[in-house]
Amino acid sequence: LAGLGAAEGSFGGAAVTSDGKRATLAGGTLAGSVMPLGAALARAGRALGLGPERVAALGAATPAADLKLPYLGRIATGVSADLVVRSAAGEIVAALRAGRRADDPGGEFLPAAIARIS
């Protein structure tokens, strides 16, 4: 429910309600954060003095490793690449799902303006 404002949903089979400021279970128990992951990572990065590359690595690699998913959370040959490409100003340039642009699955892997990682 992060970033959705007032909304209802379920997590782990439990009903969750959000007023846009907090997510709770039916009895009022806090159910988690409503802050979108990107905003949470940026906030943590600023607080810890980490650059965007390190923050991105922590946001992807750590959860994948915790879930024992070695084929996720990194950019490498043979790895399923789901990622968001951002400009230096932080604007979203492209979103990739399984290595292909989400808005054009049959198109190029990356926009021509994005430098290739070598």
Side-chain angles (χ1 to χ4, degrees), residues 15-45:
V16 178
T17 302
S18 171
D19 62 5
K21 296 179 182 177
R22 54 183 288 167
T24 57
L25 299 175
T29 302
L30 188 63
S33 176
V34 295
M35 181 181 291
L37 179 59
L41 289 171
R43 183 176 180 180

Side-chain angles (χ1 to χ4, degrees), residues 1-117:
L1 302 178
L4 296 178
E8 294 181 2
S10 67
F11 183 74
V16 178
T17 302
S18 171
D19 62 5
K21 296 179 182 177
R22 54 183 288 167
T24 57
L25 299 175
T29 302
L30 188 63
S33 176
V34 295
M35 181 181 291
L37 179 59
L41 289 171
R43 183 176 180 180
R46 284 190 304 274
L48 297 171
L50 302 175
E53 296 85 4
R54 182 69 179 135
V55 170
L58 291 170
T62 302
D66 286 349
L67 294 170
K68 298 186 182 1
L69 300 171
Y71 50 89
L72 297 176
R74 57 193 176 94
I75 302 171
T77 301
V79 176
S80 180
D82 292 347
L83 45 108
V84 175
V85 179
R86 293 183 178 265
S87 70
E91 295 140 347
I92 295 176
V93 175
L96 284 78
R97 183 180 306 129
R100 297 256 183 208
R101 289 199 45 162
D103 61 341
D104 183 12
E108 293 291 320
F109 286 107
L110 287 173
I114 302 298
R116 305 282 188 231
I117 299 171

